[in-house]
PDB file of all heavy atoms in Angstrom:
ATOM      1  N   HIS A  37       8.973 -23.619   3.908  1.00 92.00           N
ATOM      2  CA  HIS A  37       8.257 -23.017   2.782  1.00 92.00           C
ATOM      3  C   HIS A  37       6.772 -23.224   3.057  1.00 92.00           C
ATOM      4  O   HIS A  37       6.260 -24.336   2.934  1.00 92.00           O
ATOM      5  CB  HIS A  37       8.630 -23.692   1.461  1.00 92.00           C
ATOM      6  CG  HIS A  37       9.986 -23.337   0.974  1.00 92.00           C
ATOM      7  ND1 HIS A  37      10.224 -22.259   0.166  1.00 92.00           N
ATOM      8  CD2 HIS A  37      11.189 -23.905   1.198  1.00 92.00           C
ATOM      9  CE1 HIS A  37      11.507 -22.179  -0.106  1.00 92.00           C
ATOM     10  NE2 HIS A  37      12.125 -23.172   0.520  1.00 92.00           N
ATOM     11  N   GLU A  53     -10.117 -11.744  -3.431  1.00 89.00           N
ATOM     12  CA  GLU A  53      -9.887 -10.884  -4.598  1.00 89.00           C
ATOM     13  C   GLU A  53      -8.802  -9.858  -4.310  1.00 89.00           C
ATOM     14  O   GLU A  53      -7.915  -9.628  -5.139  1.00 89.00           O
ATOM     15  CB  GLU A  53     -11.179 -10.174  -4.993  1.00 89.00           C
ATOM     16  CG  GLU A  53     -12.225 -11.090  -5.574  1.00 89.00           C
ATOM     17  CD  GLU A  53     -13.562 -10.416  -5.734  1.00 89.00           C
ATOM     18  OE1 GLU A  53     -13.654  -9.179  -5.549  1.00 89.00           O
ATOM     19  OE2 GLU A  53     -14.534 -11.114  -6.040  1.00 89.00           O
ATOM     20  N   ASP A  66      -0.722 -18.865  -9.974  1.00 88.00           N
ATOM     21  CA  ASP A  66      -1.793 -19.820  -9.665  1.00 88.00           C
ATOM     22  C   ASP A  66      -2.581 -19.431  -8.427  1.00 88.00           C
ATOM     23  O   ASP A  66      -3.511 -20.136  -8.042  1.00 88.00           O
ATOM     24  CB  ASP A  66      -1.189 -21.212  -9.440  1.00 88.00           C
ATOM     25  CG  ASP A  66      -0.372 -21.674 -10.644  1.00 88.00           C
ATOM     26  OD1 ASP A  66      -0.735 -21.286 -11.766  1.00 88.00           O
ATOM     27  OD2 ASP A  66       0.616 -22.394 -10.438  1.00 88.00           O
ATOM     28  N   GLN A  79      13.110 -25.570  13.434  1.00 90.00           N
ATOM     29  CA  GLN A  79      12.080 -25.611  12.398  1.00 90.00           C
ATOM     30  C   GLN A  79      10.745 -25.122  12.953  1.00 90.00           C
ATOM     31  O   GLN A  79       9.962 -24.484  12.248  1.00 90.00           O
ATOM     32  CB  GLN A  79      11.955 -27.043  11.889  1.00 90.00           C
ATOM     33  CG  GLN A  79      11.462 -27.135  10.477  1.00 90.00           C
ATOM     34  CD  GLN A  79      11.581 -28.535   9.924  1.00 90.00           C
ATOM     35  OE1 GLN A  79      11.512 -29.490  10.664  1.00 90.00           O
ATOM     36  NE2 GLN A  79      11.762 -28.645   8.633  1.00 90.00           N
ATOM     37  N   LEU A  90       1.983 -14.806   7.289  1.00 92.00           N
ATOM     38  CA  LEU A  90       0.750 -15.018   6.520  1.00 92.00           C
ATOM     39  C   LEU A  90      -0.410 -14.294   7.180  1.00 92.00           C
ATOM     40  O   LEU A  90      -1.214 -13.638   6.502  1.00 92.00           O
ATOM     41  CB  LEU A  90       0.458 -16.505   6.385  1.00 92.00           C
ATOM     42  CG  LEU A  90      -0.816 -16.862   5.631  1.00 92.00           C
ATOM     43  CD1 LEU A  90      -0.712 -16.457   4.163  1.00 92.00           C
ATOM     44  CD2 LEU A  90      -1.121 -18.333   5.755  1.00 92.00           C
ATOM     45  N   VAL A  94      -2.746 -11.258   5.473  1.00 90.00           N
ATOM     46  CA  VAL A  94      -4.207 -11.311   5.363  1.00 90.00           C
ATOM     47  C   VAL A  94      -4.841 -10.179   6.166  1.00 90.00           C
ATOM     48  O   VAL A  94      -5.812  -9.560   5.730  1.00 90.00           O
ATOM     49  CB  VAL A  94      -4.734 -12.691   5.813  1.00 90.00           C
ATOM     50  CG1 VAL A  94      -6.255 -12.702   5.865  1.00 90.00           C
ATOM     51  CG2 VAL A  94      -4.234 -13.772   4.872  1.00 90.00           C
ATOM     52  N   VAL A  99      -8.359  -4.862   6.209  1.00 85.00           N
ATOM     53  CA  VAL A  99      -8.743  -3.497   6.551  1.00 85.00           C
ATOM     54  C   VAL A  99      -8.996  -2.724   5.263  1.00 85.00           C
ATOM     55  O   VAL A  99      -8.096  -2.566   4.437  1.00 85.00           O
ATOM     56  CB  VAL A  99      -7.628  -2.808   7.369  1.00 85.00           C
ATOM     57  CG1 VAL A  99      -7.994  -1.368   7.666  1.00 85.00           C
ATOM     58  CG2 VAL A  99      -7.364  -3.575   8.644  1.00 85.00           C
ATOM     59  N   VAL A 103     -12.635   5.674   1.974  1.00 93.00           N
ATOM     60  CA  VAL A 103     -13.051   6.232   0.690  1.00 93.00           C
ATOM     61  C   VAL A 103     -12.795   7.733   0.720  1.00 93.00           C
ATOM     62  O   VAL A 103     -13.223   8.429   1.644  1.00 93.00           O
ATOM     63  CB  VAL A 103     -14.547   5.951   0.432  1.00 93.00           C
ATOM     64  CG1 VAL A 103     -15.001   6.572  -0.867  1.00 93.00           C
ATOM     65  CG2 VAL A 103     -14.799   4.465   0.416  1.00 93.00           C
ATOM     66  N   MET A 118      -7.958  34.436  -6.548  1.00 98.00           N
ATOM     67  CA  MET A 118      -8.090  35.280  -7.733  1.00 98.00           C
ATOM     68  C   MET A 118      -7.570  36.697  -7.455  1.00 98.00           C
ATOM     69  O   MET A 118      -6.953  37.320  -8.319  1.00 98.00           O
ATOM     70  CB  MET A 118      -9.545  35.327  -8.212  1.00 98.00           C
ATOM     71  CG  MET A 118     -10.085  33.987  -8.663  1.00 98.00           C
ATOM     72  SD  MET A 118      -9.008  33.080  -9.780  1.00 98.00           S
ATOM     73  CE  MET A 118      -9.169  34.016 -11.248  1.00 98.00           C
TER      74      MET A 118
END
Side-chain angles (χ1 to χ4, degrees):
H37 286 271
E53 290 170 9
D66 303 328
Q79 207 170 29
L90 179 66
V94 173
V99 177
V103 178
M118 297 312 288

